[in-house]
Amino acid sequence: MPAVALRLTIRGVVQGVGFRPFIYRIAVRSGLRGYVTNTPGSVTVHLEGDPEAIRRFRELFREELPPAARVARITEQRVAREGFSGFAIEKSEQSGTALSTIPPDIALCPACLRELSDPNDRRFGYPFINCTGCGPRFTIVGRLPYDRENTSMSVFPLCTRCRREYEDPGDRRFHAEPNACPDCGPSLSVATREGKPVATDDPVGCVSDALRSGKIVAVRGLGGFHLAADATNEEAVRKLRERKHREEKPFAVMVTDLAAARSLARLSKDDEAILSSPSAPVLLVETLGNARLAPSVAPGLANLGLFLPYTPLHRLIFDRLDLPLVMTSGNATDEPIATGNDEAIARLSGIADLFLLHNREIVQRSDDTVVRSIGGKIYPLRRARGFVPAPVLLKTGDVPENASKLEIPPNYLTIRNVPGVKKLCVAGLGGELKSTFCILKEGFAYLSQHLGDLDQIPVREFYKETFDFFRRFLDAELSAVCRDTHPAYFTTSFAENIGAGRILSLQHHKAHLYALLAESGFSGKAVGVSFDGTGYGEDGAIWGGEFFAIDGMEMKRAAAFDYFPLQGGDAAVREPWRTAVGFLHDTFGPAEAGRIAASRFPDIGPERIGLLVDAISKKVNVVPSSSCGRLFDAASALAGICRKASYEGQAAMLLEGCIRKGRGTGTYPYTIRDGAGRLGIDWKGLIAGVVSDASAGTPAPVIARKFHDTVAEIVLEVTVRLAEGTGAGHVLLSGGVFQNVYLLRKLLTGFRQRKLKTLIHREVPANDGGISLGQAYFAAQTISGG
């Protein structure tokens, strides 16, 4: 049959993952001629050969796609034959820009681990070993396309043997941009906290000895520094807490392998698969009762954040140590993670006793990703290293006319056929806490890594720098940006200064649900439940216990918890007892509220309690709130679990952690009533029940379980009533409260029994780290008329 010629354009995570060598190999095996090349926005493949060879190529493409590659879209064109005599990998094209070609950082692969451990291999013990299947990617890139000269590896010229690998299409290091060896690549060094070099021929052994003796070591990694300490040494962990000013917030723990992880936590096969995956996230799992860990690692919590060594340097450290290590972000509390050697010594010298440094620069700072496992799949809590900058693929059934038969089911943004939509580019700017932003371009949603809380000036600078980076490399001419409706958020003013065509605003809890619509592709009737701690409401109140009737892109507030008086703003978040007094005030009245509070919180003192009750009665610095997150705080305080919080979410986390299997039965009373066009949830009976149990000496685990079961019952009852009234068959659960796994699993079971299909987050966090996707999705639909 006559030869044909096709040109394929492939988008997604297709650079830095061995994709061009893969295309070269299967094209040669299929007997095809042509070329493959990187462009800043895609990989282009030109194929010439008979139809049977093309068919074979398609088959191999599906069967042998590199594990780290993520194909998002393939289009193809019939073109004129150019008469190639063979197949080649051509030099990358330089014109145009697109971030989609930068892969996430990838954990150490089995092949490199074998070489690292082989005394006969030339990279034996080399802490920067990598190949096309693993190593740094996003964190070393400064310009596009993703080629060595555009990364921080450009200052390390390849030696003869490394260049031979780099240029050999049959080698797994073919065009592995960070490729290096001890003769030509980066190297380690050790410094004191004063920045003075430590003379040693064995940097890894030096810091391993320090860790074993109880010292704190700052370790330069992929996306920044870790602060490491022996997780079994209570004195070392407490010293780390004191120096880092991190009173009780849990630390993540790195262990040498899955066997070590099993000795500390209850793991399923799915958990083990997540821990061992190329993204190597921190996974929150249930701690075993006999786990050999210092009590201060995760005080009061039933869960532990575990992860495995994901760089060769980590692996070498654990080869010297038979200990679990605390590995926490290299920063003082609330600051961005440190990346540079000089920066780390300046910022961390008051925390670390010793510094393990290297001379491969970190261009993009990135914290570790944190996830849970729900239903055997990832449920994100913080999206960063290993996931960013891979785009979230917005799911619909639309397929362009020239979609390739190679397509691994396509994902596209649902936008009506409006002129100019193909060039649509919008941004969501996120919230104030757990900030991220999202740039949505041509159906791909690019979320930034976790950036931090924007009430801190250094985090605002980090946000602006990262936004500029993404915007530059995406060539993002923004048609619109969408921000939160809160008038005092940093992003509110930031939106005014970035030159977008239009500025839109979206209510916080709706943004949570739009994010879930975006990643799930759902379009129809549903009940959306959006529970968190704080969000500026459309009536000026602080929302956080909301139910919405969803019909396509339309959302209407259909139910909510009754307002309670929240006095003191952020002070109430830091001191849950203050929130509890607000609930007591509206449940029992001022006098009785004061008496109960004095009984439940004797350490606070009657004078402070009296002043607070008086301020609430006079509505001084009081804002009405429907926050479910604050309801959890109040219950935690009243049950005697957490009266003062040292980190965001602590009271609710300790309340969940207090639950014990088989302890506590029944629920507390509550009332659901119709009124003002929506259902109202009266929580007074619930608060009275908690107070009654606590006053009677009921154990905290019993109260905790009854409280959680009551909230679950409320959500189930309200949702079923709304679904019956609207004809909805789906439920969307979003917001930080649904990081509570006990509650989430209770609801998933309850909705399944009631024949309602539940959608939860799989791509972005349910907390505020995901709302930027919802904002961008809303903006895209709004300006396109979708």
Side-chain angles (χ1 to χ4, degrees):
M1 296 182 68
V4 297
L6 294 178
R7 183 160 298 155
L8 308 177
T9 302
I10 306 172
R11 291 190 60 184
V13 180
V14 290
Q15 293 187 21
V17 292
F19 199 82
R20 285 180 299 166
F22 156 69
I23 293 292
Y24 173 88
R25 289 192 299 270
I26 65 172
V28 170
R29 286 165 56 192
S30 302
L32 292 167
R33 301 173 300 281
Y35 65 86
V36 58
T37 185
N38 282 341
T39 66
S42 61
V43 166
T44 297
V45 183
H46 181 96
L47 301 174
E48 294 185 7
D50 62 62
E52 176 58 25
I54 298 288
R55 185 201 64 76
R56 176 62 176 157
F57 178 89
R58 297 186 197 281
E59 186 177 85
L60 292 173
F61 185 93
R62 290 189 179 93
E63 293 174 354
E64 300 182 13
L65 193 70
R70 190 177 182 192
V71 174
R73 181 181 301 171
I74 308 173
T75 56
E76 67 178 54
Q77 293 175 285
R78 291 289 293 267
V79 295
R81 284 180 291 155
E82 299 181 28
F84 290 98
S85 59
F87 198 88
I89 298 177
E90 294 193 348
K91 185 174 174 60
S92 299
E93 297 178 13
Q94 301 293 322
S95 60
T97 53
L99 188 66
S100 62
T101 57
I102 305 176
D105 300 290
I106 309 168
L108 182 67
C109 72
C112 284
L113 177 57
R114 284 193 296 272
E115 293 176 349
L116 182 72
S117 307
D118 182 359
N120 297 315
D121 192 278
R122 71 188 187 94
R123 292 186 175 88
F124 172 63
Y126 183 55
F128 304 97
I129 188 172
N130 67 86
C131 67
T132 54
C134 68
R137 300 293 192 270
F138 172 64
T139 52
I140 62 171
V141 71
R143 300 186 303 276
L144 286 177
Y146 176 67
D147 289 327
R148 189 180 183 93
E149 61 265 28
N150 295 328
T151 73
S152 57
M153 289 298 295
S154 63
V155 299
F156 299 101
L158 290 165
C159 68
T160 302
R161 286 190 289 180
C162 285
R163 178 157 297 281
R164 189 180 304 123
E165 295 168 333
Y166 184 85
E167 294 177 349
D168 179 2
D171 194 287
R172 80 172 199 280
R173 292 191 170 90
F174 177 71
H175 280 256
E177 307 305 345
N179 187 29
C181 74
D183 294 334
C184 65
S187 57
L188 295 175
S189 61
V190 179
T192 67
R193 64 195 312 175
E194 293 79 24
K196 295 178 180 178
V198 174
T200 177
D201 293 328
D202 184 11
V204 173
C206 178
V207 299
S208 298
D209 290 343
L211 288 165
R212 192 179 291 107
S213 67
K215 296 289 196 299
I216 297 167
V217 178
V219 180
R220 195 181 196 189
L222 276 182
F225 276 79
H226 279 122
L227 290 165
D230 177 359
T232 68
N233 185 328
E234 175 66 8
E235 182 181 351
V237 177
R238 290 187 67 84
K239 181 168 59 176
L240 177 56
R241 287 201 174 279
E242 291 165 4
R243 293 180 182 179
K244 190 175 163 72
H245 305 296
R246 182 165 167 155
E247 295 177 38
E248 296 174 301
K249 190 174 183 179
F251 286 133
V253 173
M254 183 178 283
V255 292
T256 184
D257 54 24
L258 287 175
R262 294 186 200 106
S263 73
L264 298 179
R266 201 177 310 279
L267 299 180
S268 67
K269 293 297 183 184
D270 294 318
D271 293 337
E272 293 183 6
I274 291 170
L275 285 169
S276 305
S277 67
S279 55
V282 176
L283 176 66
L284 292 193
V285 288
E286 184 182 350
T287 313
L288 293 175
N290 60 350
R292 182 170 165 258
L293 289 173
S296 293
V297 167
L301 300 177
N303 296 310
L304 175 69
L306 278 183
F307 60 144
L308 299 180
Y310 58 82
T311 71
L313 178 55
H314 294 148
R315 182 69 269 158
L316 293 172
I317 292 172
F318 278 96
D319 285 346
R320 306 290 189 93
L321 285 172
D322 187 25
L323 295 169
L325 293 178
V326 166
M327 283 282 200
T328 189
S329 299
N331 56 5
T333 297
D334 297 330
E335 291 180 351
I337 189 171
T339 57
N341 290 341
D342 292 341
E343 173 198 4
I345 290 170
R347 289 173 52 193
L348 306 179
S349 60
I351 304 175
D353 298 302
L354 204 62
F355 288 78
L356 180 56
L357 309 173
H358 63 71
N359 56 347
R360 184 183 66 202
E361 292 306 312
I362 298 169
V363 183
Q364 308 299 333
R365 72 183 79 217
S366 187
D367 274 296
D368 292 313
T369 290
V370 183
V371 304
R372 283 189 183 272
S373 175
I374 300 293
K377 298 179 182 178
I378 281 178
Y379 185 66
L381 304 182
R382 183 172 79 190
R383 188 176 184 270
R385 191 259 314 150
F387 288 83
V388 173
V392 174
L393 311 177
L394 305 183
K395 300 177 178 64
T396 80
D398 299 338
V399 182
E401 291 180 5
N402 61 340
S404 171
K405 294 177 183 177
L406 286 173
E407 196 70 67
I408 294 167
N411 302 289
Y412 300 99
L413 175 63
T414 303
I415 297 178
R416 292 178 185 170
N417 187 21
V418 177
V421 160
K422 285 187 177 180
K423 296 184 178 179
L424 180 72
C425 184
V426 298
L429 301 183
E432 190 81 350
L433 303 179
K434 300 178 175 66
S435 65
T436 64
F437 59 79
C438 173
I439 296 179
L440 192 157
K441 184 174 181 179
E442 298 176 9
F444 295 84
Y446 301 91
L447 271 81
S448 72
Q449 66 270 43
H450 166 80
L451 300 170
D453 296 345
L454 289 170
D455 56 351
Q456 303 295 315
I457 298 299
V459 179
R460 294 182 179 185
E461 293 304 314
F462 180 28
Y463 182 102
K464 289 188 284 188
E465 291 168 5
T466 309
F467 188 87
D468 288 343
F469 172 81
F470 273 68
R471 189 174 185 180
R472 183 170 68 254
F473 286 109
L474 278 171
D475 194 20
E477 294 293 331
L478 296 173
S479 303
V481 295
C482 184
R483 61 190 178 186
D484 196 275
T485 55
H486 197 295
Y489 278 2
F490 165 75
T491 51
T492 302
S493 57
F494 182 75
E496 307 282 348
N497 301 309
I498 55 178
R502 289 175 61 182
I503 298 176
L504 305 172
S505 298
L506 179 64
Q507 199 279 324
H508 186 91
H509 300 94
K510 290 181 178 180
H512 275 297
L513 294 169
Y514 277 116
L516 191 45
L517 289 177
E519 67 168 85
S520 67
F522 178 79
S523 179
K525 291 186 177 181
V527 176
V529 188
S530 188
F531 284 3
D532 64 6
T534 299
Y536 191 73
E538 292 172 346
D539 58 359
I542 299 300
W543 290 4
E546 316 306 312
F547 296 79
F548 293 90
I550 300 173
D551 188 355
M553 290 294 292
E554 298 297 321
M555 290 189 191
K556 178 183 177 183
R557 192 185 189 206
F561 282 89
D562 287 350
Y563 289 142
F564 77 95
L566 180 67
Q567 200 280 339
D570 290 343
V573 177
R574 293 189 297 269
E575 299 182 300
W577 72 269
R578 299 172 66 96
T579 300
V581 171
F583 280 99
L584 293 173
H585 181 280
D586 276 21
T587 300
F588 298 103
E592 186 66 4
R595 187 194 67 78
I596 294 171
S599 172
R600 298 304 308 152
F601 314 131
D603 54 319
I604 304 302
E607 184 175 349
R608 285 190 69 193
I609 290 171
L611 290 172
L612 178 59
V613 171
D614 189 51
I616 293 171
S617 297
K618 294 177 180 178
K619 295 182 169 52
V620 177
N621 196 21
V622 169
V623 61
S625 175
S626 59
S627 169
C628 186
R630 299 289 83 83
L631 180 62
F632 274 78
D633 288 355
S636 187
L638 291 169
I641 296 168
C642 182
R643 293 167 185 165
K644 297 180 181 179
S646 65
Y647 59 91
E648 195 258 338
Q650 182 181 11
M653 290 169 65
L654 291 174
L655 184 69
E656 180 190 6
C658 193
I659 298 172
R660 297 292 183 268
K661 291 182 179 179
R663 298 292 303 276
T665 58
T667 57
Y668 294 115
Y670 60 89
T671 304
I672 299 172
R673 66 180 189 286
D674 291 303
R678 67 171 186 268
L679 299 179
I681 303 158
D682 187 338
W683 36 259
K684 294 184 181 66
L686 189 162
I687 292 295
V690 171
V691 169
S692 176
D693 273 357
S695 300
T698 301
V702 175
I703 297 174
R705 189 180 183 95
K706 287 177 69 175
F707 174 83
H708 279 80
D709 289 349
T710 304
V711 173
E713 187 176 279
I714 290 170
V715 174
L716 291 168
E717 183 176 345
V718 172
T719 300
V720 168
R721 287 177 61 171
L722 293 176
E724 289 173 346
T726 62
H730 289 74
V731 185
L732 280 66
L733 302 178
S734 190
V737 167
F738 294 115
Q739 294 176 142
N740 183 311
V741 170
Y742 180 89
L743 176 64
L744 181 61
R745 288 177 173 154
K746 191 95 176 171
L747 292 175
L748 292 174
T749 300
F751 285 128
R752 185 166 54 250
Q753 293 169 344
R754 290 160 177 79
K755 311 299 183 187
L756 288 171
K757 296 180 179 178
T758 311
L759 299 177
I760 63 174
H761 289 278
R762 296 297 187 185
E763 296 283 351
V764 302
N767 59 44
D768 286 5
I771 67 171
S772 62
L773 172 61
Q775 294 167 337
Y777 186 66
F778 172 79
Q781 297 288 354
T782 299
I783 67 172
S784 68

